[in-house]
Amino acid sequence: MQDHPPARAISRSVRVLGPVVLLVALALYLAAYLRWPSLASQVDLLVYRFGAMRVWDGQDLYSVGMTGNPHTMLFDYTPFAALCFLPQIGLSQPAIHTLGFFVHMACVGYGVRRMFSGASHTPIDTKGRVREDT
């Protein structure tokens, strides 16, 4: 059994400023996409979908790119990656972007939580007590 150092409480300044910084970052992110909508294309997700569609149709994954040009926007991942993205075929482009956004946010949240637990920080409830349920 491993001995863990005692958990340290997160300071009040981090608890107050952390959400403020997060909200400002999200507002800037949204403002950038509203100002430059072409940035919202998430081209990687579209290339994954392109590869899945090529597999579904029984076509060669590597002969042509997503734009129809054999030299640009190529699917350059393994065939297994194309199989993993087969569920995307039935989704619209906005649905893929929305799903991708929420999956990315969930992964970021998981990573932040793991960082805090690895640094021996314990979440604190609204009354300033260390929560035991995490």
Side-chain angles (χ1 to χ4, degrees), residues 74-122:
L74 298 173
F75 184 84
D76 58 359
Y77 308 98
T78 64
F80 179 74
L83 294 175
C84 290
F85 287 95
L86 280 174
Q88 281 190 354
I89 291 175
L91 299 176
S92 66
Q93 188 169 337
I96 290 171
H97 290 170
T98 303
L99 180 64
F101 175 78
F102 284 112
V103 167
H104 290 144
M105 291 301 107
C107 290
V108 168
Y110 175 76
V112 168
R113 184 163 179 83
R114 291 292 306 231
M115 279 190 326
F116 275 122
S117 67
S120 298
H121 284 288
T122 304

Side-chain angles (χ1 to χ4, degrees), residues 10-25:
I10 299 172
S11 71
R12 178 170 164 66
S13 61
V14 171
R15 286 183 289 150
V16 171
L17 292 178
V20 170
V21 169
L22 176 64
L23 288 174
V24 168

